[in-house]
């Protein structure tokens, strides 16, 4: 889909030639929309056909004096980007099934339309028209929407255009993340992820290096390989570098959990919903998506993605509860629960990150069910001892409409990871499980400026709309761009 900022001519919104005109009505009082639309809107509200309530829409055809054959009214509670995103999401549901190829979008904000508004529009349209087809040839035909024009004044044009460009890059990153994560584990293997990274390297100026089992063994990644050893599927450790700043500039490093299927291993998970553990590479997918968005925007930063990727399966070769392994850091880990595998692959990646002399490291992982219990599906869990880094990430999440929430990392939580047989145990008791997981990782990030995002509740949706969300690509991209500025 293509997006542009469009300043209408003398006839205003009503004169715009598009297949559909979406009019976002903002606020409680009947807003000042341009003339031929105002009458229709006024009577629709008076007759009760269009209620000023979230999610409500009204589609009218053949309005006199309006060039676009369809007009879709949709409502936003206020003039914020967040409300606009919801309004457009409701509106796009009305036109995506029809023949609309070119959509024009008018927002009656009553104030200035800015970059954040434009970005929110792109997010809503991209999200609303996304359709997974890779392994479902019978999926309904994709929406025909090819072009979306955001109507704006001359004065707003530059900001809207900039917001659209940023939104488009993020949307493409989000889509890449969703496409990877939605693919089943028999398609999206560690090698598949490595291939996706290589593809990105071809399209953008990325350098990609892929370490196999032997390479990782040579380095001494005993924790990563302990998880990988139960599966026939070859593990991959992906290093993808984007250089947008001077060579000597310290890079930002993103580390993504790339478990392409998490059965739990010998500590096997119950059968119901186990299929959803194909999404356990959502962190890895978000790293690829962010690299894509950042490279597309040509941000002046150095960014490196690290993706440890393997399957977690039970077999005669699997790691067993009680096994002690030696991590890349040289420290030993007692694996009390083989289902706490994410932290095992991440700790070696964090140690690897040290050699990159990074300015900051953020790991992204579908790490704990406990985080889902704590925060549900709206906000990702953010863990960091670095207040400035945490504040930057939280602010990026708010700007990107991809929010996170800071969780505690007091040292008292660390006590439960003591082991009689190794330097550290990989699990504590159930209580505070998201925090103790973060504390485990923190032990391997002592020499780094580090934060951890637990996206177990936000990376995918369950139920009828089961599927990957592409989060937190938007948060990460905003954060990286802000570091470049
Ligand atoms: N990938 C899971 C976390 C998860 C669970 C994400 C449910 C989304 C929904 C992770 O590897 C895991 O199994 N964690 C265990 C940790 C426990 C054994 C300490 C968990 O959360 O149960
Ligand atoms: Mn697990
Ligand atoms: Zn897992």
């Amino acid at each position: 889909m293509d997006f542009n900022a469009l300043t209408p001519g003398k006839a205003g919104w009503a004169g715009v030639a598009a297949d559909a005109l979406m009019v976002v009505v903002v606020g409680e009082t009947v807003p000042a929309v341009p003339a031929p639309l105002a009458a229709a809107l006024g009577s629709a509200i008076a007759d009760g056909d269009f209620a000023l309530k979230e999610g409500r829409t009204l589609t009218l055809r053949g309005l006199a004096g309006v060039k676009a054959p369809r007009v879709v009214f949709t409502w936003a509670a206020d003039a914020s980007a967040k409300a606009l995103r919801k309004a457009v999401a409701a509106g796009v549901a009305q036109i995506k099934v029809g023949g609309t190829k070119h959509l024009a979008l008018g927002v009656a904000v009553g104030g200035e339309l800015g970059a954040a508004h434009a970005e929110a529009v792109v997010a809503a349209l991209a999200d609303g028209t996304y359709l997974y087809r890779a392994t479902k040839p019978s999926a309904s035909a994709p929406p025909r929407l090819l072009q979306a024009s955001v109507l704006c004044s001359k004065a707003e044009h530059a900001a809207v255009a900039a917001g659209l460009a940023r939104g488009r890059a993020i949307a493409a990153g989000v889509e890449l993340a969703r496409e990877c994560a939605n693919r089943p584990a028999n398609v999206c293997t560690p090698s598949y992820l490595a291939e996706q990274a290589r593809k990105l390297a071809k399209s953008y100026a990325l350098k990609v290096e892929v370490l196999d089992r032997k390479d990782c063994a040579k380095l001494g990644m005993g924790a990563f390989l302990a998880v990988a050893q139960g599966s026939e599927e070859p593990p991959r450790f992906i290093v993808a570098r984007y250089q947008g700043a001077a060579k000597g500039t310290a890079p930002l490093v993103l580390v993504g959990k790339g478990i392409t299927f998490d059965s739990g291993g010998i500590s096997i998970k119950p059968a119901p919903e186990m299929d959803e553990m194909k999404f356990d590479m959502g962190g890895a997918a978000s790293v690829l998506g962010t690299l894509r968005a950042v490279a597309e925007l040509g941000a002046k930063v150095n960014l490196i993605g690290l993706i440890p990727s393997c399957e977690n399966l039970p077999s005669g070769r699997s790691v067993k509860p009680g096994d002690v392994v030696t991590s890349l850091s040289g420290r030993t880990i007692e694996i009390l629960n083989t289902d706490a595998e994410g932290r095992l692959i991440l700790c070696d990646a964090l140690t690897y990150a040290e050699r990159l002399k990074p300015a900051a490291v953020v790991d992204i992982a579908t790490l704990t069910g406990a985080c889902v219990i704590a925060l549900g599906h709206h906000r990702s869990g953010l863990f960091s001892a670095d207040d400035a880094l945490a504040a930057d990430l939280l602010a990026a999440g708010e700007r990107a409409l991809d929010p996170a929430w800071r969780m505690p990392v007091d040292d008292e939580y660390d006590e439960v990871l003591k082991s009689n047989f190794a330097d550290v145990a990989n699990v504590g008791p159930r209580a505070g499980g998201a925090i103790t997981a973060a504390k485990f990782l923190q032990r391997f990030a002592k020499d780094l400026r580090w934060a951890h995002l637990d996206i177990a509740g936000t990376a995918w949706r369950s139920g009828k709309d089961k599927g990957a969300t592409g989060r937190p690509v938007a948060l990460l991209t905003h954060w990286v761009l802000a570091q470049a500025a």
Side-chain angles (χ1 to χ4, degrees), residues 257 262 264 269 277 280 312 338-342 367:
K257 173 178 173 182
D262 180 14
K269 287 179 181 297
M277 284 301 133
D280 211 16
N312 185 23
T338 66
D339 198 11
E341 85 296 340
L367 202 64

Side-chain angles (χ1 to χ4, degrees), residues 178-433:
R178 293 176 89 173
E179 281 291 299
C180 287
N182 280 334
R183 277 168 169 67
N186 62 329
V187 176
C188 180
T189 58
S191 309
Y192 179 87
L193 288 177
E195 237 173 79
Q196 295 312 300
R198 287 213 166 96
K199 258 201 200 156
L200 273 185
K202 255 197 195 156
S203 316
Y204 304 92
L206 302 191
K207 280 192 196 124
V208 169
E209 191 186 344
V210 179
L211 311 184
D212 63 12
R213 203 189 292 267
K214 259 197 195 147
D215 301 322
C216 295
K218 220 185 254 167
L219 286 171
M221 294 183 168
F224 173 42
L225 292 180
V227 178
Q229 79 191 34
S231 171
E232 300 287 336
E233 195 62 48
R236 294 288 183 258
F237 188 98
I238 305 162
V239 184
R241 300 161 189 261
Y242 165 76
Q243 195 195 319
K247 239 191 165 147
T249 308
L252 303 170
V253 174
L254 299 177
V255 180
K257 173 178 173 182
I259 296 291
T260 55
F261 190 74
D262 180 14
S263 72
I266 297 297
S267 312
I268 198 163
K269 287 179 181 297
E273 276 127 55
M274 203 205 271
D275 65 291
E276 295 190 6
M277 284 301 133
K278 73 174 185 177
F279 295 120
D280 211 16
M281 35 56 73
S286 77
V287 170
L288 292 176
T290 303
L291 276 164
R292 195 200 141 128
V294 168
E296 170 116 18
L297 290 167
K300 292 186 168 51
V301 278
N302 291 336
L303 178 66
I304 304 179
L306 298 180
I307 297 174
S309 181
C310 66
E311 290 184 334
N312 185 23
L313 292 185
S315 79
R317 270 205 292 269
S318 289
V319 72
K320 303 168 293 297
D323 283 4
V324 174
V325 300
T326 303
S327 65
L328 179 59
S329 74
R331 272 170 286 165
T332 58
I333 303 166
E334 184 183 16
I335 299 177
L336 290 172
N337 188 323
T338 66
D339 198 11
E341 85 296 340
R343 60 199 79 180
L344 296 172
I345 72 169
L346 292 170
C347 72
D348 278 351
L350 289 171
T351 302
Y352 185 92
E354 282 176 14
R355 69 185 61 190
L356 304 171
K357 307 249 180 302
V361 178
V362 180
D363 78 69
I364 308 99
T366 48
L367 202 64
T368 66
C371 191
V372 188
I373 301 301
L375 292 174
H377 302 288
H378 181 52
R379 284 178 184 269
S380 304
L382 169 66
F383 303 76
S384 181
D386 188 308
D387 290 340
L389 178 57
D392 284 350
L393 286 161
L394 287 176
E398 298 302 319
R399 282 198 305 278
L401 305 181
D402 184 1
W405 194 256
R406 194 169 178 191
M407 300 280 281
V409 285
D410 304 70
D411 280 332
E412 282 77 1
Y413 289 107
D414 200 76
E415 301 281 315
V416 295
L417 295 176
K418 284 188 175 145
S419 160
N420 288 349
F421 305 105
D423 295 330
V424 63
N426 80 326
V427 291
R430 261 162 60 89

